[in-house]
Amino acid sequence: MRRRIDRPEGRAQYAQRFATVEPVVGNLRANKRLDRFTLRGRTKVDTQWKLYCLVHNIEKLAHAGYAA
C-alpha cells in the first residue's frame, strides 16, 4: 500500500478521498455513532440518513459562524 501511495498517481487519488465524502462518513460513524440504521425499509433509512447529514451540515455552519 505504501508503494501505491508514494507514486504520483497514488498521491493524487488518495488526496481526492479527503476532499470528498470520507470525512463526513467518518464523522457520522465516530462522533454521531451512526454504525447502523435503527429503522427498516428504504424510505425510512433514506430519511434517517438525510437527517444525520442535515445535522452534520448545521454543525458545520454553526462552527463557521453562521449561527449568530
Side-chain angles (χ1 to χ4, degrees), residues 41-54:
R42 184 175 291 211
T43 55
K44 291 178 185 177
V45 167
D46 186 50
T47 303
Q48 188 177 7
W49 173 253
K50 288 178 182 175
L51 181 64
Y52 272 96
C53 290
L54 181 70

Side-chain angles (χ1 to χ4, degrees), residues 24-35:
V24 176
V25 174
N27 179 35
L28 291 175
R29 288 189 73 197
N31 299 333
K32 305 292 182 287
R33 297 185 180 148
L34 181 64
D35 292 334

